[in-house]
Amino acid sequence: QLQLQESGPGLVKPSETLSLTCTVSGGSISSSSYYWGWIRQPPGKGLEWIGSIYYSGSTYYNPSLKSRVTISVDTSKNQFSLKLSSVTAADTAVYYCARHWYIVGALSVGWFDPWGQGTLVTVSS
Amino acid sequence: QSVLTQPPSVSGAPGQRVTISCTGSSSNIGAGYDVHWYQQLPGTAPKLLIYGNSNRPSGVPDRFSGSKSGTSASLAITGLQAEDEADYYCQSYDSSLSGDNYVFGTGTKVTVL
């Protein structure tokens, strides 16, 4: 059974870079059938897709966050990571990683399952 | 800010049927992109409920069903149970001048009376 686990600092200062890692267990991140994604949820609010990565390193990002986001993959560790730069209080959220299902040739047909348990990141001085 | 609009809340008595709407536009649902649904129990991560408009993953009860028409989609829960009390989100794909993006609905809280 595939499981995902987020890890990283729970507190980040304004203007600094948020860094999180997602460790995948029970399956290989190098599978050609999936992308791997990050989604966030501000406290009491809805969900926002941040971006996704393929095991080869191919990425695509939410246009509204693209200038600040970098997602990378380490297949040797079965992990993928998120970096979000120049954070503000508006970036305070629970950050989830998830397996991103897609249809070959139709990236628009994509959904997320399963999800990690999430990790709360607070941006504050 | 979300491009997919859901009612903030719906409620029903145990055993009843409730529906949750997800209204989009010509750049997402109306463009033919699939809709997926998630259930988020209090304090937990979202769980996939429906994918590809109407398909249930293994383990999801057949009390949950999804449909899509035009620029909207719907999630129906029949035989409502106390354990169904949760937040529900729709998700689709949006392609507009500002870029391509996976988008989520505003979320709907289901209350079992």
Side-chain angles (χ1 to χ4, degrees):
Chain A
Q1 180 182 351
L2 190 82
Q3 292 187 314
L4 299 94
Q5 178 69 57
E6 306 87 351
S7 59
L11 181 63
V12 180
K13 289 181 167 56
S15 80
E16 295 190 343
T17 296
L18 177 160
S19 296
L20 295 174
T21 295
C22 181
T23 300
V24 178
S25 59
S28 174
I29 202 170
S30 298
S31 169
S32 61
S33 301
Y34 312 108
Y35 272 71
W36 303 90
W38 287 98
I39 302 106
R40 70 179 182 178
Q41 184 174 35
K45 297 188 178 180
L47 300 162
E48 180 180 39
W49 173 69
I50 299 171
S52 297
I53 190 165
Y54 198 55
Y55 76 95
S56 63
S58 174
T59 55
Y60 62 117
Y61 302 131
N62 184 323
S64 68
L65 298 170
K66 187 175 183 178
S67 64
R68 299 194 292 130
V69 173
T70 302
I71 298 177
S72 59
V73 64
D74 187 337
T75 55
S76 66
K77 294 182 179 179
N78 229 30
Q79 295 176 335
F80 61 107
S81 298
L82 168 71
K83 290 188 185 300
L84 181 66
S85 64
S86 305
V87 298
T88 69
D91 295 308
T92 294
V94 175
Y95 285 76
Y96 297 100
C97 58
R99 180 171 59 180
H100 178 169
W101 293 67
Y102 77 107
I103 303 297
V104 175
L107 267 176
S108 60
V109 182
W111 63 92
F112 303 94
D113 178 62
W115 298 51
Q117 67 182 29
T119 186
L120 175 63
V121 178
T122 302
V123 179
S124 174
S125 55
Chain B
Q1 185 173 349
S2 175
V3 299
L4 302 180
T5 302
Q6 301 178 230
S9 64
V10 298
S11 62
Q16 284 191 330
R17 179 179 186 269
V18 297
T19 60
I20 301 169
S21 60
C22 174
T23 302
S25 67
S26 59
S27 66
N28 42 70
I29 300 175
Y33 296 125
D34 284 357
V35 178
H36 322 288
W37 291 89
Y38 302 87
Q39 177 193 60
Q40 187 175 30
L41 297 169
T44 69
K47 169 193 167 186
L48 181 69
L49 210 56
I50 297 287
Y51 67 95
N53 303 317
S54 59
N55 300 292
R56 282 187 310 276
S58 174
V60 173
D62 59 7
R63 303 185 293 104
F64 295 92
S65 62
S67 63
K68 188 186 96 166
S69 178
T71 58
S72 295
S74 291
L75 174 72
I77 310 174
T78 58
L80 194 64
Q81 299 182 5
E83 66 203 50
D84 300 331
E85 194 159 282
D87 293 326
Y88 293 81
Y89 293 90
C90 59
Q91 177 242 310
S92 186
Y93 188 82
D94 187 87
S95 182
S96 65
L97 290 177
S98 59
D100 297 338
N101 195 9
Y102 291 102
V103 290
F104 289 89
T106 49
T108 298
K109 181 174 181 58
V110 170
T111 301
V112 181
L113 302 172

